[in-house]
Amino acid sequence: MSRSLDKILVVDIESTCWEGGYAQRGQISEIIEVGLCTLDVSKLRREDKCAIMVKPMKSRISEFCSELTSITPDMVELAKPLANACSTLEKEYDSRQRMWASWGDYDRNQFQKNCKEYGLRYPFGPTHLNVKTLFSITLGMNRKLDLDEAFRYLGWELEGPLHRGVDDAWNTAKLLSWLLKRGRDAEGPGHTADS
């Protein structure tokens, strides 16, 4: 199997945020956690689970943000800036060569915005898989579900708290694994596109 398709990097980020959704004066929304889970494509098994904490440079973690994500200012005080997280993704996870996935487009858009803001190279390649859209299309739904709604729909329990990047990545990888297995099982060994 091609190195670029041996694993899917499932990513979920948390960013500084404020009640009402708007940044406080003089601040921007910045990534403060990169949650990551690698999914072995051949075995459809979740492997590594890690949280890369990121020190915000142009914002502070609000009380609202801490209540939502459980990430406090102390947790990022000794963390390194986003440039280090990008370097870790590229060097340790080969992120520019591998497909990556997230629940929705927020993570991709926020990474692109923050990389542009700091003048950093975007750490991912061009192949992004939106698991939120894939889930809805696969199950014939007319709307997209939030991560916790998708788990409830399947009768599953979330593993870890919602809005914590490391746990959301782990849970998204579980859904992606289920979707891919469902597709493989439906095709069967002799299936072709024209069957």
Side-chain angles (χ1 to χ4, degrees), residues 8 17 33 42 59 80 114 121 124 167 178 189:
I8 298 174
C17 54
E33 179 192 14
S42 63
S59 63
K80 299 201 168 65
N114 279 181
R121 181 167 90 157
F124 299 104
D167 294 310
W178 180 80

Side-chain angles (χ1 to χ4, degrees), residues 142-156:
N142 60 5
R143 72 177 188 94
K144 296 178 190 175
L145 303 181
D146 290 333
L147 185 60
D148 57 334
E149 290 178 306
F151 265 70
R152 279 197 303 274
Y153 181 86
L154 295 175
W156 296 355

Side-chain angles (χ1 to χ4, degrees), residues 93-174:
Y93 295 94
D94 206 10
S95 60
R96 292 185 57 77
Q97 303 304 315
R98 287 196 166 109
M99 175 185 287
W100 74 287
S102 62
W103 190 261
D105 274 331
Y106 170 79
D107 308 270
R108 182 177 58 82
N109 291 333
Q110 183 70 354
F111 247 111
Q112 288 174 338
K113 275 194 268 190
N114 279 181
C115 286
K116 185 176 181 184
E117 178 76 31
Y118 304 133
L120 300 173
R121 181 167 90 157
Y122 182 65
F124 299 104
T127 311
H128 173 258
L129 179 61
N130 183 329
V131 183
K132 185 177 193 175
T133 301
L134 179 63
F135 184 84
S136 296
I137 290 170
T138 301
L139 297 178
M141 299 178 164
N142 60 5
R143 72 177 188 94
K144 296 178 190 175
L145 303 181
D146 290 333
L147 185 60
D148 57 334
E149 290 178 306
F151 265 70
R152 279 197 303 274
Y153 181 86
L154 295 175
W156 296 355
E157 293 285 328
L158 287 170
E159 298 175 46
L162 191 63
H163 300 304
R164 194 51 215 274
V166 65
D167 294 310
D168 286 352
W170 184 251
N171 287 319
T172 299
K174 181 176 182 174

